[in-house]
């Protein structure tokens, strides 16, 4: 029996572990893949206070080691459900069942797909969801990035240093991501902006060789020959396994406010998987602190 089980070892879950351990609670962190969450794919973090430049991997490693040093236990198993017994909760993984007085769900989100035919088949053969993981394969080649958020912008900037040409394809004419990154991209000669357009066809032999892009206003279809397509069109919250117990909003995010409190007493949501307006590293970490503080209070009162 643990005091607190934290599901997910991204920035929110790891920060929750630090706070819960500093409050002397026993803590188990369950993680399906590896620690770090999506920040691990960010080449250079510039907007976290006091960290002028740090890679996502280095950042995540530091926070992971900090949580370990403070005494959090880690088990790498995927949580597939939670059972609420009132003062205790069971967290079910693929292999085991773990019990705690409180649970923090910090599962983050997964890549949203473009939804174009053959997308799944071409993953690893020209289609990627992670520029920092796969960008080096496209040194000197032609690539495109789809999306208009910070991930797409940062991916395009990263790839501009490697690739011969980077097409940045966005379905609107205004970007959702930071203006500073847009301006940095505009200074690059090898970045070509394609606005108001969707990728409507993937053309491949063994690998992706070209894409068709359709202009939303004119319906004109353009074929672009390229070697790689980086899809950065947002993420989907990973809450499906808890949907029977935890109230989600229409988009699948846990309905929880800034206090991270869910509809079930003793269960909290922290980070990108809950309803919130700003999904950033700093707000994920803040959620971890808030959720852990609430969970500690629940454990002490029950
Ligand atoms: P996002 O901000 O949700 O942006 C997704 C983009 O994809 C939007 O521009 C959206 O277009 C477009 N899109 C969605 N579905 C599409 C589809 N089916 N076809 C074509 N385009 C589609 O996602 P994100 O860029 O992954 O960022 C997620 C969060 O992480 C954001 O809050 C972001 O600020 C944050 N983030 C922060 C950092 C950092 O702090 N350094 C780095 C990366 C990400 P519309 O604009 O038209 O909706």
């Amino acid at each position: 029996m643990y005091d607190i089980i934290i599901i997910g070892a991204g920035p929110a879950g790891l920060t929750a572990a630090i706070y819960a351990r500093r409050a002397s609670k026993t803590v188990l962190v369950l993680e399906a893949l590896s620690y770090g969450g999506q920040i691990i794919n960010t080449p250079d973090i510039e907007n976290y206070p006091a960290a002028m430049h740090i890679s996502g991997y280095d950042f995540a490693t530091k926070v992971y080691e900090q949580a370990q040093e403070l005494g959090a236990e880690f088990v790498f198993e995927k949580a597939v459900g939670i059972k609420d017994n009132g003062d205790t909760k069971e967290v079910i993984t693929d292999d085991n069942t773990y019990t705690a007085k409180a649970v923090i769900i910090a599962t983050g989100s997964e890549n949203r797909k473009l939804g174009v035919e053959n997308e799944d088949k071409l993953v690893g053969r020209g289609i990627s969801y992670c520029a920092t993981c796969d960008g080096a394969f496209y040194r000197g080649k032609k690539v495109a990035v789809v999306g208009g958020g910070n991930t797409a912008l940062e991916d395009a900037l990263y790839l501009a240093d490697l690739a011969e040409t980077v097409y940045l394809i966005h379905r609107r004419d205004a970007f959702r991501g930071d203006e500073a990154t847009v301006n940095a991209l505009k200074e690059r000669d090898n970045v070509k902006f394609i606005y108001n357009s969707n990728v409507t066809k993937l053309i491949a032999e063994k690998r992706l060789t070209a894409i068709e892009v359709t202009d939303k206003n004119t319906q004109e279809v353009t074929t672009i020959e390229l070697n790689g397509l980086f899809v950065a069109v947002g993420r989907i919250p990973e809450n499906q396994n808890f949907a029977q117990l935890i109230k989600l909003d229409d988009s699948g995010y846990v309905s929880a406010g800034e206090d991270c409190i869910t509809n079930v007493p003793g269960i909290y949501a922290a980070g990108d998987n809950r309803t919130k307006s700003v999904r950033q590293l700093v707000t994920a970490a803040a959620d971890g602190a808030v959720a852990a503080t609430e969970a500690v209070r629940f454990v002490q009162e029950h």
Side-chain angles (χ1 to χ4, degrees):
M1 163 79 93
Y2 293 88
D3 289 324
I4 301 171
I5 291 177
I6 298 163
I7 305 173
L14 291 174
T15 307
I18 290 168
Y19 272 72
R21 281 301 301 146
R22 282 182 44 79
S24 302
K25 299 294 169 254
T26 54
V27 171
L28 173 67
V29 183
L30 293 170
E31 168 58 54
L33 300 167
S34 56
Y35 68 82
Q38 63 169 306
I39 197 65
I40 220 148
N41 299 323
T42 297
D44 187 21
I45 300 166
E46 279 191 344
N47 56 4
Y48 196 86
M52 282 294 282
H53 290 282
I54 185 168
S55 75
Y57 178 78
D58 286 348
F59 180 89
T61 302
K62 276 175 188 273
V63 191
Y64 175 58
E65 288 173 352
Q66 193 176 355
Q68 269 189 323
E69 198 175 296
L70 285 164
E73 280 180 46
F74 286 81
V75 168
F76 289 86
E77 291 174 13
K78 184 176 173 65
V80 293
I82 306 175
K83 191 168 169 232
D84 178 29
N85 303 320
D87 285 353
T88 64
K89 326 287 174 203
E90 289 171 40
V91 179
I92 300 126
T93 72
D94 285 332
D95 301 315
N96 292 297
T97 297
Y98 300 93
T99 310
K101 294 173 190 160
V103 174
I104 298 171
I105 306 171
T107 40
S109 54
E110 63 185 344
N111 294 317
R112 177 178 289 124
K113 303 275 171 71
L114 266 184
V116 183
E117 199 180 346
N118 289 330
E119 183 176 357
D120 285 342
K121 283 189 196 157
L122 291 168
V123 172
R125 293 193 288 142
I127 299 229
S128 171
Y129 298 85
C130 177
T132 47
C133 315
D134 300 328
F137 297 123
Y138 298 92
R139 197 176 290 276
K141 299 194 169 166
K142 290 192 172 92
V143 299
V145 176
V146 195
N150 275 321
T151 303
L153 298 178
E154 290 181 13
D155 283 0
L157 201 54
Y158 177 75
L159 290 165
D161 285 335
L162 299 168
E164 180 207 88
T165 307
V166 179
Y167 298 96
L168 178 54
I169 303 163
H170 182 34
R171 65 183 179 185
R172 292 189 292 129
D173 59 2
F175 287 104
R176 187 178 287 272
D178 294 349
E179 202 179 330
T181 319
V182 176
N183 290 339
L185 282 166
K186 284 182 177 163
E187 284 173 15
R188 301 299 187 99
D189 292 337
N190 63 339
V191 176
K192 312 219 176 297
F193 292 82
I194 301 176
Y195 297 107
N196 297 314
S197 297
N198 282 313
V199 175
T200 42
K201 191 169 178 187
L202 305 173
I203 301 165
E205 289 166 12
K206 281 186 180 160
R207 296 181 54 87
L208 185 74
T209 55
I211 56 174
E212 278 184 11
V213 172
T214 304
D215 186 301
K216 279 168 64 182
N217 298 330
T218 63
Q219 303 307 316
E220 188 188 341
V221 178
T222 308
T223 303
I224 301 173
E225 291 189 0
L226 45 65
N227 309 98
L229 178 67
F230 289 85
V231 179
V233 295
R235 306 190 54 93
I236 299 171
E238 296 210 57
N239 295 322
Q240 303 88 332
N241 288 335
F242 318 113
Q244 282 187 326
L245 182 64
I246 306 296
K247 187 167 177 279
L248 308 181
D249 72 6
D250 291 344
S251 304
Y253 291 94
V254 175
S255 297
E258 290 301 313
D259 56 12
C260 298
I261 292 173
T262 73
N263 58 307
V264 180
I267 302 184
Y268 306 88
D272 280 7
N273 66 329
R274 81 164 176 89
T275 49
K276 53 165 46 194
S277 55
V278 182
R279 292 196 174 86
Q280 294 280 300
L281 181 55
V282 71
T283 59
D287 269 17
V290 173
T293 305
E294 291 294 339
V296 166
R297 197 193 326 268
F298 182 87
V299 169
Q300 282 165 350
E301 289 173 358
H302 290 80

